[in-house]
Amino acid sequence: MFDHLFKTELTPEEEQQIIETTLKNYSEHLNPGFVQMKRSAKSDAHGVEWRGEGVWMYNIHGHRFLDCLGGYGVFALGHRHPHVIKRVKQTMERIGLYSQELLNPLQAVLAKEIADRAPGDLKYVYYHCGGAETNDAAFKLARLTTGRQVHVTFTKSFHGKTFGALSATNRPVLKKKFRPLVPGFFMAPYNDIDALKDYITEEVASVIVEPIQGEGGINVPDREFLNAIRRLCDETGALMHVDEVQSGWGRTGHYFCSEHFGIEPDIVSLGKALGGGLATQSAFIANDRAFYGRHLLGPNNPGATENPWWFTNTFAGSQLSCAASLASIEVYEQEHLLAKAREKGEYLKSRIADLVAKHPRTLKEIRGLGLWLGLECQTGELGAKLADELFARDILVAQTINNPATIRIQPPLIVEQAELDIVLNGIEDSVIACESVAKAV
Ligand code: PLP
C-alpha cells in the first residue's frame, strides 16, 4: 500500500506524486502554516526531503544540501551513521521497545557510561524522549529534593515548549497566548554576575542555565558567571541545573559543554545528539545532592527513591534509543571526533572572523565553541536574507529562535575540511549577494 514511500530510487512520476500529496497533506492534515512559512516548502523544486547521508541531506529529486543546521544539533554524527545503524539493527534482531517490567541492561550500561564522562559527581540518569520533557522532570526533581518551588532562569533562554519548560523560557511571543504558565519561574539577566544574588536565595529550588545559550543567539557567557551561579547555589542550597540539550554530547568538542567552564552542576539535561542522530533520546543526570536533597532535608531523606516512577515515561530509554546512544560513544571515541570538532571549530571560526572583518555592513560577530557557531548579522532582516541565500546555494542553516539576526552554523562533527571550505565559500558568496541587493535598493 505504501511501497513507493519506502523506495530509495523513485520514478519522476512517483517524485511528483509524493511532492503533491506531501504539500496537500501538510495543508489539510498537519498545518497549512508550515507550507506558507518554511523556507524549503516555498520552493517546490527543493522542498521535500528524501535521504540523508553523512553531512548531506538530499531532496526528493536527489539534489543535495550540506547540512549545517544539523536538525538543531541532532546530527552530531551526521545522517544515518553506519555504526549507529549497525547497533540499532543488531538490537532490533533481538528486542524493540522496553517491556517496562524487566530490567533493561542497555539503559543501565548507558547510564554508567554517561556518568563516567560527566563532570563532577553526576551519576543518576533518567531517560526521556525530548529536551523539554527531561527539563520538566528535572524541575520536579528539584522541587522534590529541596522542598522549594522557585526556579531561576535567564533572559533569552530557551528550554522547550511543554508547560514547565516554556515557563522557564524567555521568549514572550512563544508564551503570551498560553498563560497562565507554571508559577515560580523568575528571569535573571544572563551573564550578569552582580544581579545573581538578588535571584538565587534560600527560596530557590533550582537555577536552570544554558552554558552557552543556543536559541538566544549562541551566547557564550563569562566563565566567572557560571562559577558564580555554582557558588551561590552552594551557599543557598539551590540546585544548579545546566541545560545542555543543544550544547552537550559533543557539539562543542566535549561530551559536556560544562567542561569548558570548569563547573560541576547538580543536574545536567541532554537531548538532541544523545540519540546518535537516529533515536529520540534525552536524559537528565543528577548528583547525590539533587537526587536525595539531604543537604536540606536531612540525612535520611529518600529523595527520588521514594517513588522511582515519578520521573518516568513510557517510551523513554528504549533498547533502540540506548543502542543508538551507546553507538555514538563508540564512534566519538574510535574516531577521536571530539578533539577533531574542537580543531575544525577553531578553523571555521577564524575563517568566518576574516569574513566578518571584510563585510562589516552585513556581518557583526562570530562566536561559539567547537562546531557550534553563531554568525550575527547587523539586523534580523539580514539574518533571514543570509539564511535564504545560503539555502539557494544548497547550504542549510537557520536563524536562532530568540535572536533572528544570528544564524547558527552547526555541521556534523564528521565534517571534512573540503566541506568546511564549501560552507566558507557559500557564506562569502551569500554575503556578497546580500550586499548587492542592499546597494540596488
Ligand atoms: N533546551 C535547549 C537548550 C534547547 O535548545 C532545546 C531545543 O532547541 C530544548 C531544551 C527543547 O528540546 P526539545 O525540542 O527536544 O523538547
Side-chain angles (χ1 to χ4, degrees):
M1 187 168 153
F2 301 117
D3 276 352
H4 62 296
L5 290 176
F6 298 93
K7 288 165 72 172
T8 318
E9 300 296 331
L10 297 166
T11 64
E13 294 72 35
E14 285 169 330
E15 285 173 12
Q16 200 47 42
Q17 193 234 333
I18 291 171
I19 291 171
E20 279 163 21
T21 51
T22 301
L23 288 171
K24 185 166 183 293
N25 289 332
Y26 255 78
S27 291
E28 291 177 6
H29 301 292
L30 291 170
N31 187 330
F34 286 131
V35 178
Q36 285 148 21
M37 291 181 206
K38 266 181 180 281
R39 183 170 283 117
S40 56
K42 285 186 215 150
S43 124
D44 57 358
H46 281 334
V48 176
E49 68 183 23
W50 198 246
R51 191 162 70 84
E53 191 159 336
V55 300
W56 300 100
M57 167 59 71
Y58 295 78
N59 77 6
I60 197 159
H61 303 304
H63 184 95
R64 69 180 191 173
F65 297 86
L66 212 166
D67 192 353
C68 283
L69 169 55
Y72 302 133
V74 169
F75 297 112
L77 287 180
H79 294 268
R80 298 188 312 111
H81 193 286
H83 187 70
V84 183
I85 293 182
K86 175 178 148 190
R87 288 288 187 236
V88 170
K89 274 188 178 164
Q90 284 174 323
T91 310
M92 279 166 66
E93 295 300 323
R94 195 165 59 69
I95 195 160
L97 299 179
Y98 180 36
S99 73
Q100 315 290 337
E101 177 49 44
L102 279 66
L103 300 181
N104 174 341
L106 295 192
Q107 270 195 18
V109 75
L110 177 62
K112 169 162 169 38
E113 296 296 328
I114 296 174
D116 284 350
R117 287 160 181 79
D121 54 355
L122 292 167
K123 59 179 174 183
Y124 303 106
V125 173
Y126 264 97
Y127 299 103
H128 301 96
C129 299
E133 197 187 349
T134 210
N135 281 336
D136 274 12
F139 297 139
K140 284 170 63 185
L141 178 73
R143 289 188 179 197
L144 176 75
T145 61
T146 62
R148 303 171 178 178
Q149 290 84 36
V150 169
H151 306 272
V152 176
T153 99
F154 292 93
T155 47
K156 291 198 185 155
S157 57
F158 184 83
H159 299 292
K161 297 180 193 160
T162 54
F163 268 100
L166 190 59
S167 307
T169 290
N170 183 225
R171 174 75 166 152
V173 70
L174 295 179
K175 299 167 79 161
K176 69 175 183 222
K177 309 255 175 169
F178 304 105
R179 294 186 187 282
L181 298 173
V182 179
F185 286 81
F186 294 89
M187 303 283 158
Y190 192 69
N191 207 23
D192 180 342
I193 297 175
D194 294 338
L196 286 176
K197 60 181 180 325
D198 294 335
Y199 289 87
I200 306 178
T201 65
E202 290 182 358
E203 286 173 20
V204 171
S206 67
V207 179
I208 181 165
V209 62
E210 292 162 86
I212 295 178
Q213 283 190 327
E215 302 306 334
I218 322 290
N219 301 323
V220 184
D222 298 329
R223 187 183 174 91
E224 185 44 35
F225 171 68
L226 293 171
N227 280 281
I229 296 176
R230 175 70 274 174
R231 241 184 350 265
L232 281 166
C233 283
D234 288 339
E235 284 167 28
T236 58
L239 301 174
M240 182 175 187
H241 172 184
V242 173
D243 181 344
E244 298 205 17
V245 165
Q246 195 164 171
S247 60
W249 213 246
R251 178 49 53 193
T252 65
H254 286 295
Y255 277 106
F256 288 80
C257 185
S258 296
E259 294 173 57
H260 286 284
F261 301 93
I263 42 166
E264 298 186 357
D266 298 307
I267 305 174
V268 174
S269 29
L270 296 168
K272 298 194 189 272
L274 183 64
L278 208 66
T280 51
Q281 176 96 308
S282 65
F284 74 66
I285 181 164
N287 62 9
D288 275 321
R289 192 170 185 266
F291 202 72
Y292 287 105
R294 290 178 178 160
H295 63 298
L296 291 174
L297 301 179
N300 299 321
N301 191 48
T305 64
E306 185 180 345
N307 185 336
W309 282 274
W310 275 334
F311 312 103
T312 59
N313 78 0
T314 307
F315 291 117
S318 77
Q319 280 84 349
L320 299 181
S321 300
C322 291
S325 299
L326 288 168
S328 74
I329 297 177
E330 292 178 310
V331 179
Y332 285 165
E333 296 184 11
Q334 280 156 17
E335 298 182 13
H336 309 290
L337 275 189
L338 302 184
K340 284 187 187 162
R342 295 197 294 274
E343 282 160 28
K344 287 175 189 156
E346 279 308 310
Y347 169 78
L348 192 59
K349 192 158 107 177
S350 75
R351 291 285 313 276
I352 296 178
D354 295 341
L355 295 177
V356 173
K358 206 164 144 192
H359 298 280
R361 270 198 308 142
T362 305
L363 303 178
K364 189 167 172 190
E365 190 182 42
I366 180 73
R367 47 181 185 261
L369 285 174
L371 279 169
W372 201 34
L373 302 179
L375 175 54
E376 182 161 354
C377 298
Q378 293 293 355
T379 62
E381 291 72 40
L382 280 168
K385 177 79 185 128
L386 186 59
D388 285 344
E389 290 291 342
L390 282 161
F391 184 72
R393 289 168 178 76
D394 305 329
I395 297 169
L396 297 185
V397 296
Q399 293 159 275
T400 54
I401 294 177
N402 293 348
N403 179 353
T406 299
I407 58 169
R408 74 224 27 247
I409 302 170
Q410 46 192 118
L413 312 187
I414 55 164
V415 69
E416 297 290 347
Q417 182 68 37
E419 292 150 353
L420 290 180
D421 290 333
I422 295 176
V423 176
L424 288 163
N425 291 336
I427 295 174
E428 175 140 45
D429 291 348
S430 299
V431 170
I432 291 168
C434 289
E435 292 183 346
S436 63
V437 170
K439 249 189 230 147
V441 171

